[in-house]
Amino acid sequence: MSGELLIESRGAVEIATLNRPERLNALSEGLVDELNAYFGGLAERKEVRVVILRGAGRGFCAGLDIQEDRSTDETAVLRTLRTQTSIGNIYRKMRACPQPIIALGHGAAAGGGLSLLLASDVRYGTPSFRCNAAYIRIGLGGCDMASSYFLPRLVGASLASEMILTGRFIDAERALRAGLISEIVAEDALLDRGLALADEMLATAPWGLRLSKQALNLNIDAQSLDAAMAIEDRQQVILSATEDHKEALAAFLGKRAPEYRER
């Protein structure tokens, strides 16, 4: 590990910090490898129930570090394909991991950095937050790193097209109005706001939380209302048979905090 991704444990919550502040946390090969390893390993780490993702320094993430020397003995097209696939795998793993991801955006989130936010489950931003789908500004297509998948689903087709076809930045107020972020939070309160939300998530049954993220993932592309409800019915039948469901009911009726055992 190169130390470009810092992990801090706070009980069942882990804070993952992009740690290249001198490069606005741009995605180097080392950071890409660390993000892939981290999010890819979360499925086997049930002791971690919620992840908070943030950036060190002046901004969240400036996207791909285009100044990094990535030269190898590969042909240019294969090298580019490897880079595309490696970065893209981060977002796949973020959506596949069972832990909810709370992203804390401050300063700029550009290109692949924007996609780190889009692949998270909940996003908060500071007043300084701004984001763009930067790719078209460097002579590439505007659709990259799952932006054409996530953005229309989050903000609608019109704003998604505006961002993707121009590469223009939108600020925190517009991101809030569009539903891209849930709340604008003062920078000195941002981590506490993320931790407070994580605490609310930790108050739920562990398997209920995991399966809820899974159902949200599946149902955003559900073929029909019936298909979506079949997923919901499946998870409710499974969870209703758990000991944690009985404990949650007893705790609710007894006006006490539940003690979950993941059984």
Side-chain angles (χ1 to χ4, degrees), residues 202-220:
L202 294 180
T204 68
W207 275 105
L209 190 64
R210 294 181 194 119
L211 292 183
S212 294
K213 175 171 176 173
Q214 181 189 74
L216 282 167
N217 273 340
L218 293 169
N219 285 346
I220 197 168

Side-chain angles (χ1 to χ4, degrees), residues 180-244:
L180 196 152
I181 59 176
S182 296
E183 190 176 339
I184 298 174
V185 183
E187 190 155 342
D188 60 359
L190 189 60
L191 179 58
D192 286 343
R193 185 69 186 88
L195 288 168
L197 180 63
D199 282 343
E200 289 189 59
M201 293 178 179
L202 294 180
T204 68
W207 275 105
L209 190 64
R210 294 181 194 119
L211 292 183
S212 294
K213 175 171 176 173
Q214 181 189 74
L216 282 167
N217 273 340
L218 293 169
N219 285 346
I220 197 168
D221 290 322
Q223 295 177 336
S224 64
L225 173 63
D226 286 343
M229 294 185 70
I231 295 293
E232 294 177 349
D233 292 346
R234 167 188 171 272
Q235 78 167 27
Q236 298 299 59
V237 169
I238 292 170
L239 293 169
S240 68
T242 64
E243 293 298 318
D244 279 351

Side-chain angles (χ1 to χ4, degrees), residues 10-32:
R10 298 202 184 184
V13 179
E14 283 192 342
I15 303 169
T17 304
L18 310 176
N19 188 40
R20 301 188 74 221
E22 73 287 351
R23 299 289 302 143
L24 290 176
N25 301 313
L27 296 169
S28 65
E29 284 201 89
L31 180 53
V32 168

